[in-house]
Amino acid sequence: MSARSEPVDGGWGGSVVLVLASSTGGVGQHITSLARGLVAGGTTVTVCGPAATEQQFGFTATGARFVPIEIPANPTPADARAVSALRRVLAGPVDVVHAHGLRAGLVAALSRPTQPLVVTWHNAVLAGGLRGRLSRWAEQVVARRARVALGASADLVERAAALGAPDARLAPVAAPALPTPTRTRAAVRAEFGVAADQALLLSVGRLHPQKRYDVLVEAAAQWRDLDPPPVVLIAGSGPSYLPLAAHISEVRAPITLLGHRTDVAELLAGADLALVTSDWEARQLFVQEALHSGVPLVSTAVGGIPELVADAAVLVPPGDVDALDRAVRDLLADDGRRADLSRRGLVQAGTWPTEVQTVAQVSALYAELAPTPAVPSDTSPGRDRGRG
């Protein structure tokens, strides 16, 4: 990468380090989108995160530099090594540090950068016990040491401000545009043996307790009395796979676990309903993808979802199997209501910030914090350390 890129189309010509912890979904996709847009605008971008994230998201393909720094999902003694490794990266010509998520934010905060630190809060702390106490301590450290805290939803902005963030702002995370499906609706449905008079229900997300797929499993078991019962697909991977598979088998729910899929656009093309059962979400990417695709959505009314979807989805209380059951039954029996939600969803999706607008907002923030980017020297210490 060149020593300094010239700004393009009003972009910011400084140097930013984007930091993330372990990610298999939304955070990694968001950083890929940011890196691509920032590089195109003339920003010098370095991404620091676990080696597995580069393998999955391909940050270097955006024109960014990648430095492997292992930041696992949970705190470990290895965090000290991650802090030291990030300090070495920040010894080079860097104007702004932007960490994504609480784990990456803590490592960045503990590295005590001399550059302005921005932390995007993507998730709320839901864990209890020791892990929950550690996470809430980390929240306080991150909130107070970041120059700017960006919340992906209004409740996260309020949380950061309540914990002492000197400057907390809303920064909606745009879903990357889905590719155009390469298969027809009929072909997708045929893959899963969906008959012409059957409904195909789809949920996409990491297999994690936060997603409350246990609620979906219990509701789906009740749908076996429908004639014909719907086909329910869950696309995603994660630590809850084995207990979830056992639960599905135990209650004989008509659910297929697909594992990680790269064809979400095609799955949505074949779907009649999209389902989200999480205990909490900010601006979940699948919610955005469903509405952008015109697929009627039933979701829990949690976190940032109500402000995201407005009246363009059916919202149910979290953890309520019967409410989910009723909502799905009502929609499957009402073609007109599904068509209305499809139209409303497309209209609502048109009000959300695009990827380009999201990048422009972040770029403007960097310019605000570092209005005169430092001029790098190719011989400065640490310039090529940790090159990935």
Side-chain angles (χ1 to χ4, degrees):
M1 185 169 291
S2 63
R4 171 69 64 204
S5 301
E6 290 300 320
V8 177
D9 296 331
W12 178 68
S15 174
V16 63
V17 172
L18 305 177
V19 188
L20 78 159
S22 297
S23 173
T24 59
V27 173
Q29 292 179 47
H30 176 57
I31 290 178
T32 303
S33 175
L34 282 184
R36 183 184 301 112
L38 289 168
V39 168
T43 302
T44 299
V45 178
T46 298
V47 179
C48 295
T53 62
E54 165 61 15
Q55 294 170 6
Q56 177 164 355
F57 299 106
F59 302 120
T60 52
T62 69
R65 172 193 179 204
F66 180 76
V67 178
I69 296 179
E70 297 304 318
I71 307 175
N74 299 313
T76 72
D79 281 7
R81 291 196 294 272
V83 169
S84 296
L86 183 58
R87 281 176 178 161
R88 289 194 293 272
V89 174
L90 300 184
V94 175
D95 299 303
V96 175
V97 185
H98 188 171
H100 291 262
L102 184 59
R103 290 287 295 118
L106 179 62
V107 168
L110 293 179
S111 73
R112 295 188 177 275
T114 57
Q115 304 89 347
L117 172 62
V118 178
V119 179
T120 295
W121 293 47
H122 289 273
N123 291 291
V125 173
L126 303 178
L130 177 60
R131 181 180 174 189
R133 290 194 294 274
L134 287 173
S135 295
R136 284 183 280 277
W137 167 79
E139 280 187 310
Q140 291 184 331
V141 172
V142 170
R144 294 171 183 176
R145 293 191 183 179
R147 178 79 67 84
V148 177
L150 299 177
S153 56
D155 58 332
L156 291 176
V157 176
E158 293 171 3
R159 175 67 174 167
L163 289 171
D167 187 344
R169 312 180 189 183
L170 182 65
V173 175
L178 287 172
T180 301
T182 58
R183 292 190 292 163
T184 65
R185 173 178 171 84
V188 173
R189 294 169 69 86
E191 176 185 348
F192 304 106
V194 184
D197 60 346
Q198 269 186 306
L200 178 59
L201 280 51
L202 175 66
S203 189
V204 178
R206 186 166 181 254
L207 304 186
H208 185 277
Q210 175 191 333
K211 304 299 183 179
R212 292 305 303 274
Y213 285 124
D214 60 308
V215 173
L216 177 53
V217 171
E218 291 291 335
Q222 298 178 180
W223 300 331
R224 285 189 290 111
D225 66 4
L226 293 173
D227 185 21
V231 174
V232 185
L233 307 177
I234 300 177
S237 59
S240 294
Y241 177 83
L242 290 178
L244 188 58
H247 191 188
I248 290 169
S249 176
E250 178 187 3
V251 300
R252 297 170 46 228
I255 293 180
T256 300
L257 298 178
L258 302 181
H260 177 69
R261 300 282 293 217
T262 59
D263 60 346
V264 172
E266 295 182 353
L267 296 177
L268 281 166
D272 296 292
L273 289 179
L275 305 175
V276 172
T277 52
S278 304
D279 273 339
W280 185 88
E281 298 285 354
R283 293 174 65 92
Q284 197 208 37
L285 296 187
F286 180 59
V287 168
Q288 297 182 60
E289 291 166 343
L291 267 62
H292 271 300
S293 301
V295 178
L297 172 71
V298 178
S299 172
T300 43
V302 295
I305 290 181
E307 68 194 69
L308 178 65
V309 302
D311 64 352
V314 174
L315 299 179
V316 298
D320 192 329
V321 174
D322 291 338
L324 176 64
D325 176 37
R326 288 192 301 270
V328 169
R329 288 176 185 268
D330 289 348
L331 284 176
L332 292 182
D334 192 338
D335 294 348
R337 176 62 172 149
R338 293 201 309 276
D340 180 61
L341 283 175
S342 177
R343 289 189 294 269
R344 287 175 181 271
L346 291 169
V347 171
Q348 180 67 10
T351 69
W352 298 334
T354 64
E355 285 186 89
V356 170
Q357 291 168 331
T358 298
V359 170
Q361 181 183 17
V362 170
S363 185
L365 173 61
Y366 298 163
E368 174 188 335
L369 297 177
T372 308
V375 177
S377 168
D378 289 337
T379 59
S380 58
R383 174 64 180 170
D384 292 307
R385 290 177 183 170
R387 184 174 296 274

